């Protein structure tokens, strides 16, 4: 095991850090005085020996380096640098609490733990501290990582560990009210394709911690995560993804999450967007009868609104369980901001759309275990076709060539996963009048270039498959000359054509697109032209697309009180769209994508309902594509 390293990427701001330290030293002096006596190199953690420890009367102290809390990257400068006031902090490692005392503590970890964006040598870990209301104090949080978990809770799907084994390394991080007491760290120096267990803790009494008096530690739930194989690992013969989207809290319980939690072979959970919804209660689901009234009960507008909604979602037991068991890779869609944000005029507060974007982004980055390479600023200049240009006057000048949330992951030489942002980064306005504009872009030209380049690189390095995680339906659905959804890639045909031209001209094979958004199960062949596509043989199809059912949101017809037409629509639509090989309009659930050397298999799993809690789900369909075919080669549909 290599030693962990944490990099501070702001060396030119040393003077500013020093200045902030002088300003904040008065409030931090009691703890700083004690920890300075036992300093530890902040860029080193010894994994071959126990952490440095010292006895002080009845106390047994463990001194740990303080590392960067990534959520401060999205806060103001003075808030960001508060965490760099000290290099190390000491914890009492002998104080213990009974379970009853811990549950009665005013400080809790009520929002569970999470991990995400795993690489072969690092992973993001997340938690949130819950102090008493109106707390203005900052807290140091300890994290510990182990190669084993213990005391399994067999009453829950997936049997999560309730504690971790012997810690192989630990560290500390500062959090406070300016980031809603969230914690996000990028743990580096890990071993490839290795399972790790992790847990957070914090002093039950921060005043006692600061003054050197005795105190006990409060512990978070234990989490489990795993790293990816090395990019050049040719021994990987299978990878299994769980794929979800559209989790609407007042519409029902997140039974899909508990269903996935019970599947031990899932490597990573992919959430394709609409992780939260922004509506007030009754606007798109009434949760009052099932105890799921959204909080705050208003349409989200301010930073505190989005934080409160994210916080409520993280209190959901099924969501917590799945975050605790599996690493997640996430992208946003529109409801993390506001409905149809690329249309701008469909929400009830259209003039506030622009002010919502930065605050919604900040809350998202605070609450999701996502790695952001650099601070992302909304880039309105890419919205070249929008009409509401007068609303841009006060918008901050954007930073060019930012990576935002589009990024890639390599699972050995078996599969490259490319996650897109089709909603915010560079998308032109969604409107009928500009559908056929040749300059119109879904991704922004920089993201288009990145996507095509990544596909070419994937082929060149010999990866067997290329899986694209994407928010909206890619396949054409206008065979009879009627366009169903301009919010999807149908509304951006020039952008879609540029990508498909590149795939065809470079002979890039074995591409699978994964999609959410539409609250429907679909499986498509994706031809460049429907006129040159043979539905009987699949000739003309370049690749396939699988669209996941929603976690809890209603079907398109159900949402307009026409759910009784679902069965008829499921008969008519495939006749209109012969490249559509599977469709289910009515059921909620998830997909399990099994990527292998010879074929990729997509399983559609459905829950029994969402108005009552359940851990049960059943297999509804199996659709597969053989390597080299570029089409759906087999399907099996099971009766409901």
């Amino acid at each position: 095991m290599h030693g962990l390293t944490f990099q501070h990427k702001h060396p030119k701001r040393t003077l500013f850090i020093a200045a902030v330290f002088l300003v904040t030293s008065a409030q931090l002096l009691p703890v700083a005085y004690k920890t300075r006596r036992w300093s530890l190199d902040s860029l080193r953690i010894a994994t071959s020996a126990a952490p440095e420890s010292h006895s002080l009367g009845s106390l047994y102290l463990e001194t740990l380096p303080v590392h960067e809390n990534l959520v401060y990257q999205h806060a103001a400068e003075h808030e960001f640098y508060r965490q760099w006031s000290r290099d190390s902090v000491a914890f009492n490692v002998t104080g213990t609490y009974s379970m009853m005392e811990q549950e009665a503590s005013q400080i809790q970890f009520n929002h569970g733990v999470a991990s995400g964006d795993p690489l072969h040598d690092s992973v993001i870990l997340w938690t949130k501290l819950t102090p008493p209301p109106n707390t203005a104090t900052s807290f140091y949080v300890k994290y510990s990582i182990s190669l084993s978990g213990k005391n399994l809770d067999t009453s829950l799907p997936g049997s999560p560990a309730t504690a971790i084994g012997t810690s192989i390394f630990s560290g500390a991080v500062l959090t406070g009210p300016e980031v809603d007491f969230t914690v996000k760290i990028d743990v580096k120096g890990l071993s490839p394709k290795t399972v790790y267990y992790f847990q957070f803790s914090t002093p039950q009494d921060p005043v006692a911690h600061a003054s050197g008096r005795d105190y006990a530690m409060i512990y978070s739930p234990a989490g489990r995560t795993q790293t990816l194989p090395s990019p050049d690992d040719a021994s990987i013969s299978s990878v299994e993804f769980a794929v979800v989207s559209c989790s609407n809290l007042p519409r029902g319980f997140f039974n899909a999450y508990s269903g996935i939690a019970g599947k031990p072979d899932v490597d990573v959970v992919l959430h394709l967007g609409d992780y939260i919804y922004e509506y007030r209660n009754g606007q798109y689901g009434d949760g009052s009868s099932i105890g799921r009234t959204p909080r705050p009960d208003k349409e989200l507008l301010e930073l505190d609104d989005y934080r409160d909604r994210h916080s409520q979602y993280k209190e959901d037991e099924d969501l917590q369980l799945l975050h605790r068991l599996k690493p997640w890779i996430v992208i946003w869609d529109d409801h993390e901001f506001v409905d149809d944000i690329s249309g701008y005029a469909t929400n009830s507060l259209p003039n506030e759309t622009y002010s919502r974007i930065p605050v919604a982004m900040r809350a998202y980055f605070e609450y999701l275990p996502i790695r952001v390479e650099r601070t992302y600023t909304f880039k309105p200049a890419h919205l070249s076709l929008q009409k509401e240009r007068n609303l841009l006057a006060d918008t901050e000048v954007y930073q060019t060539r930012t990576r935002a949330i589009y990024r890639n992951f390599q699972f050995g030489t078996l599969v490259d996963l490319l996650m897109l942002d089709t909603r915010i980064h560079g998308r032109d306005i969604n409107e009928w009048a500009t559908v056929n504009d040749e300059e119109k872009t879904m991704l922004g030209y920089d993201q288009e270039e990145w996507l095509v380049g990544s596909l070419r690189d994937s082929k060149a390095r010999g990866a067997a498959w290329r899986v694209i995680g994407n928010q909206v339906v890619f396949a054409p659905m206008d065979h009879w000359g009627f366009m169903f959804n301009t919010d999807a890639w149908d509304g951006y045909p020039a952008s879609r054509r540029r990508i498909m031209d590149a795939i065809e001209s470079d002979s890039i094979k074995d591409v699978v697109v994964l999609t959410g958004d539409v609250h429907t199960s679909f499986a498509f062949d994706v031809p460049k032209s429907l006129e040159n596509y043979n539905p009987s043989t699949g000739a003309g199809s370049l690749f396939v697309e699988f669209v996941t059912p929603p976690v809890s949101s209603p079907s398109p017809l159900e949402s307009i009180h026409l759910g009784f037409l679902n069965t008829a629509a499921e008969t008519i639509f495939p006749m209109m769209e012969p490249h559509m090989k599977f469709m289910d309009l009515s059921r909620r659930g998830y997909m399990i994508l099994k990527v292998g050397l010879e074929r990729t298999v997509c399983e559609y799993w459905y829950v029994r309902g969402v108005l009552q809690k359940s851990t049960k789900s059943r297999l509804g369909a199996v659709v597969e594509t053989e390597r080299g075919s570029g089409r759906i080669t087999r399907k099996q549909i099971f009766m409901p």
Side-chain angles (χ1 to χ4, degrees), residues 346-396:
T346 62
N347 58 82
S348 61
L349 299 169
N351 291 331
E352 285 78 21
T353 291
Y354 291 96
S355 65
R356 292 193 229 195
I357 291 174
V359 297
M361 279 185 180
R362 177 168 173 177
Y364 186 89
F365 290 141
E366 289 174 345
Y367 274 85
L368 272 296
I370 180 174
R371 180 183 291 102
V372 182
E373 294 188 2
R374 59 184 69 92
T375 301
Y376 172 60
T377 306
F378 174 51
K379 299 189 293 185
H382 281 283
L383 302 172
S384 56
L385 303 176
Q386 66 180 33
K387 295 177 179 178
E388 297 86 350
R389 294 184 184 276
N390 58 306
L391 294 178
L392 296 177
D394 297 326
T395 307
E396 184 179 356

Side-chain angles (χ1 to χ4, degrees), residues 72-94:
Y72 279 89
Q73 292 178 348
H74 314 290
E77 288 286 298
H78 71 280
E79 296 170 347
F80 177 84
Y81 284 108
R82 283 187 63 182
Q83 65 180 304
W84 295 104
S85 58
R86 282 175 283 170
D87 289 333
S88 60
V89 64
F91 290 100
N92 172 12
V93 298
T94 58

Side-chain angles (χ1 to χ4, degrees), residues 91-158:
F91 290 100
N92 172 12
V93 298
T94 58
T96 59
Y97 251 27
S98 68
M99 182 62 70
M100 183 177 298
E101 289 173 318
Q102 177 148 325
E103 291 176 353
S105 172
Q106 290 188 322
I107 301 173
Q108 297 286 349
F109 290 93
N110 289 336
H111 301 82
V113 298
S115 67
D117 277 15
L119 302 176
H120 72 280
D121 59 354
S122 64
V123 70
I124 299 291
L125 303 182
W126 179 94
T127 194
K128 171 178 163 61
L129 205 62
T130 307
N134 302 317
T135 296
T137 305
S138 294
F139 294 83
Y140 278 100
V141 178
K142 173 186 173 182
Y143 66 90
S144 299
I145 298 175
S146 174
L147 290 172
S148 62
K150 58 184 183 179
N151 303 333
L152 303 185
D153 186 351
T154 57
S155 68
L156 295 174

Side-chain angles (χ1 to χ4, degrees), residues 231-253:
D232 59 353
D233 189 341
S235 69
I236 305 302
S237 60
S238 65
V239 172
E240 192 163 310
F241 300 104
V243 187
V244 292
S245 73
C246 305
S247 37
N248 186 345
L249 188 138
R251 276 288 183 172
F253 294 98

Side-chain angles (χ1 to χ4, degrees), residues 320-336:
Q320 278 196 24
L321 177 63
L322 190 53
H323 270 304
R324 183 177 171 183
L325 287 169
K326 309 287 184 182
W328 289 43
I329 298 174
V330 301
I331 49 178
W332 56 46
D333 198 8
D334 53 344
H335 289 289
E336 287 87 351

